[in-house]
Amino acid sequence: MSLDTQLTRRLGLRVPILSAPMAGVAGGALAAAVSRAGGLGLIGGGYGDREWLVREIDIAADAGVGVGFITWALARDPDLLTIALERRPRAIFLSFGDFGPYASRAADAGVPLIAQVQTVAGAKAAVSGGAEIIVAQGTEAGGHGGERGTMALVPAVVDAVGDVPVVAAGGIADGRGLAAALMLGAAGVLCGTAFYATRESLAHDNAKGTALRASGDHTVRNRIFDLVRGYDWPEPWMIRTLENRFYRRWVCDPEGLRRDLRRQRQAYLDAQASGDVDTAPVIVGEAIDLVHQVQRAAAVVSRIAKSAEACFNSVRVNSVQAPG
Ligand SMILES: Cc1cc2nc3c(=O)[nH]c(=O)nc-3n(C[C@H](O)[C@H](O)[C@H](O)COP(=O)(O)O)c2cc1C
């Protein structure tokens, strides 16, 4: 059975799997590995470090990757979009904010615009604004997101946007998730958590090891880590991370954290650099239950695709055998 969908045809992929543009995690090596494996790898432009962006796009040159931006952060340095477009990405991916000012620039460059949304209203607005592909992101997702669950959000977005391909995101890390997403009407999936602990991911080795031992039971959506990092995230988005000692210390006392911000920020930055996961969080979503080993990104792509095909084959066999 082939996983040929509206998405694979639109983007020229062999499998309907996108890797998320994870800030600080999805550099050129990860994105290139996913694209070479037949999916679409997205570099995470994150909070807008120019030098980093140019270097990572160059690492992935010729692999056919896309570039993602946090839209409200892109507004602080819109030239980053020019830098990306000049390097002929396979797609531009925008999430979290009004992408109105950027849609026509992607269209003029002939680059498809993928918009990630968290609500049905957001999906409709994104299509009116010129997005060619919609990612419907459920709250199970690692990193920033909204409140709606993937299971109900995806079919509602599919119904709302007509012919526009919809990609499901949030809580999908194996073939069962991909098969389920296609059954909900999605044309593919976007995965972040599944790629967090890959060899090519830029996450610290301690963070990868902690992720492999973790359960989705221990992820939390919160504002504590953005407060200490000084990232001014607008409403309504909050980050999902694993809970840790720092989270437990401050979650009920954000005012105390504000009062001690300078000292705590330095401790946080030191922890991030040294891989101290008791302070700097592991940023993964509920699907971390499904990730058991550090693998190459290509192996993750092929595992998800092959096991989705097996799901469809087993449903076919069982439905033939079912009485009546
Ligand atoms: C470590 C990490 C960092 C992320 N950073 C970003 C980001 O910078 N921009 C963005 O649009 N989404 C980001 N996301 C969210 C992803 O785009 C995606 O919606 C999510 O990973 C999908 O859910 P999953 O983690 O269950 O696969 C991030 C996710 C993770 C796990």
Side-chain angles (χ1 to χ4, degrees):
M1 131 122 223
S2 122
L3 296 173
D4 184 33
T5 71
Q6 204 187 356
L7 181 77
T8 58
R9 290 189 292 277
R10 175 69 186 83
L11 292 176
L13 312 179
R14 294 197 300 280
V15 290
I17 299 172
L18 277 48
S19 63
M22 296 177 277
V25 171
L30 175 55
V34 170
S35 284
R36 291 199 174 107
L40 175 67
L42 293 159
I43 291 175
Y47 299 91
D49 177 338
R50 271 182 185 227
E51 212 177 297
W52 184 93
L53 183 67
V54 170
R55 188 182 68 232
E56 298 299 326
I57 295 178
D58 286 348
I59 287 172
D62 304 328
V65 304
V67 179
F69 292 103
I70 294 169
T71 317
W72 64 260
L74 181 61
R76 298 185 303 204
D77 186 1
D79 287 351
L80 291 173
L81 182 61
T82 312
I83 289 174
L85 287 172
E86 280 169 358
R87 287 163 175 78
R88 311 292 318 148
R90 189 100 153 260
I92 289 290
F93 178 105
L94 296 175
S95 187
F96 311 122
D98 173 19
F99 64 81
Y102 315 113
S104 61
R105 289 172 56 195
D108 291 348
V111 175
L113 176 62
I114 305 174
Q116 178 166 259
V117 301
Q118 294 77 30
T119 59
V120 177
K124 288 182 186 162
V127 170
S128 316
E132 292 179 47
I133 295 166
I134 299 294
V135 176
Q137 184 209 38
T139 192
E140 296 91 325
H144 288 85
E147 295 198 350
R148 295 210 47 182
T150 304
M151 186 75 156
L153 178 64
V154 170
V157 168
V158 169
D159 289 347
V161 301
D163 289 343
V164 177
V166 175
V167 173
I172 299 164
D174 67 13
R176 293 170 294 184
L178 170 54
L182 297 180
M183 286 291 110
L184 292 175
V189 294
L190 171 96
C191 303
T193 296
F195 291 101
Y196 183 88
T198 52
R199 291 250 194 105
E200 295 88 346
S201 143
L202 298 175
H204 195 285
D205 282 347
N206 291 350
K208 291 183 191 179
T210 304
L212 295 184
R213 294 187 294 277
S215 163
D217 290 358
H218 301 129
T219 67
V220 279
R221 256 193 206 289
N222 68 88
R223 294 196 185 281
I224 288 299
F225 295 110
D226 287 329
L227 174 54
V228 73
R229 300 190 293 185
Y231 290 167
D232 203 6
W233 268 83
E235 297 275 347
W237 303 293
M238 287 195 284
I239 193 168
R240 183 181 294 282
T241 67
L242 284 181
E243 59 176 10
N244 65 2
R245 198 174 59 200
F246 188 91
Y247 168 82
R248 287 187 290 275
R249 166 68 185 87
W250 296 111
V251 66
C252 294
D253 186 18
E255 281 315 314
L257 177 56
R258 275 196 188 92
R259 282 195 298 274
D260 196 24
L261 200 53
R262 247 179 83 177
R263 207 162 63 92
Q264 294 301 332
R265 182 166 299 165
Q266 194 52 54
Y268 179 93
L269 293 173
D270 293 345
Q272 198 173 33
S274 68
D276 166 10
V277 295
D278 288 332
T279 299
V282 175
I283 304 174
V284 291
E286 294 187 15
I288 198 60
D289 292 299
L290 309 174
V291 181
H292 304 298
Q293 50 181 320
V294 175
Q295 286 186 304
R296 290 206 170 275
V300 174
V301 171
S302 121
R303 170 174 63 77
I304 295 175
K306 284 201 176 117
S307 91
E309 287 174 9
C311 286
F312 285 119
N313 289 335
S314 93
V315 167
R316 261 212 303 270
V317 169
N318 289 335
S319 67
V320 170
Q321 287 173 348

